[in-house]
């Protein structure tokens, strides 16, 4: 069996176990039994459970990373609803896993990975254009935006998803594209 298939099977087994218990309660033995491999195979692919956890969260972002890399100009994503469509499609495919991260209070790892990906991509694109980036401002913008979005998603999960998924994602995108204060003013009428 190929390396990627073995890793994928461990990751699938991890998500199954993580659905029932927090990461601290998942042992390598349980994971190996669930995936159908021995401990040596596990350690050939991962340092420990936390390394596997990191890669499991990475699988949520892989399609987003691939899409970002395929875009010649990052500004294309900022036009119209392209960023919204990209993120919404991944959110829909991974809602259960993302919800588990929030339930277990492990969603910070997802947020850090998203910020890191976007930061590296934007910084690389600016360098290719011969522009210098105010990296502090860029980091603050990404921190603000990703933290706000994750906060809204956490709110949505805590409220038992009473707002339809499509609506909550549209609200997040609308606030993101218009800004908080203009959106608040619009809401207040």
């Amino acid at each position: 069996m190929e390396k990627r298939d073995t890793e994928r099977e461990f990751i699938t087994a991890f998500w199954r176990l993580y659905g029932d218990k927090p990461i601290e309660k998942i042992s390598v033995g349980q994971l190996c039994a669930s995936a159908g491999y021995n401990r040596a195979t596990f350690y050939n692919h991962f340092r420990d459970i936390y390394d596997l956890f990191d890669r499991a969260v990475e699988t949520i972002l892989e399609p987003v990373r691939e899409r970002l890399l395929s875009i010649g100009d990052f500004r294309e994503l900022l036009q119209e609803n392209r960023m919204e469509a990209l993120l919404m499609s991944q959110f829909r495919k991974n809602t259960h896993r993302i919800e588990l991260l929030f339930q277990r209070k492990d969603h910070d790892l997802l947020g850090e990975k998203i910020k890191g990906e976007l930061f590296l991509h934007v910084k690389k694109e600016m360098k290719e254009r011969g522009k210098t980036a105010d990296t502090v401002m860029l980091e603050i913008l990404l921190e603000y935006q990703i933290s706000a979005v994750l906060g809204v998603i956490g709110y949505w999960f805590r409220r038992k998803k009473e707002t339809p998924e499509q609506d909550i994602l549209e609200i997040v995108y609308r606030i993101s594209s218009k800004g908080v204060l203009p959106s608040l003013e619009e809401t207040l009428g």
Side-chain angles (χ1 to χ4, degrees), residues 4 6-7 14 17 22 25 40 47 53 62 64-66 78 90 95 114 120 122 138 140 150-151 153 159 172-173:
R4 292 293 292 160
T6 302
E7 286 182 7
F14 170 80
L17 292 170
K25 303 285 184 181
R47 287 185 313 278
F53 177 53
E62 280 176 12
V64 174
R65 180 183 305 112
E66 289 171 12
L78 302 177
Q90 280 314 109
T95 299
I114 293 169
L120 288 175
V122 172
L138 182 56
I140 290 170
L150 291 176
I153 292 170
R159 300 288 299 229
V172 166
Y173 187 76

Side-chain angles (χ1 to χ4, degrees), residues 23 42 45-57:
I23 190 169
F42 174 84
H45 295 274
F46 307 100
R47 287 185 313 278
D48 54 28
I49 292 287
Y50 293 96
D51 183 36
L52 170 59
F53 177 53
D54 188 67
R55 292 206 215 162
V57 172

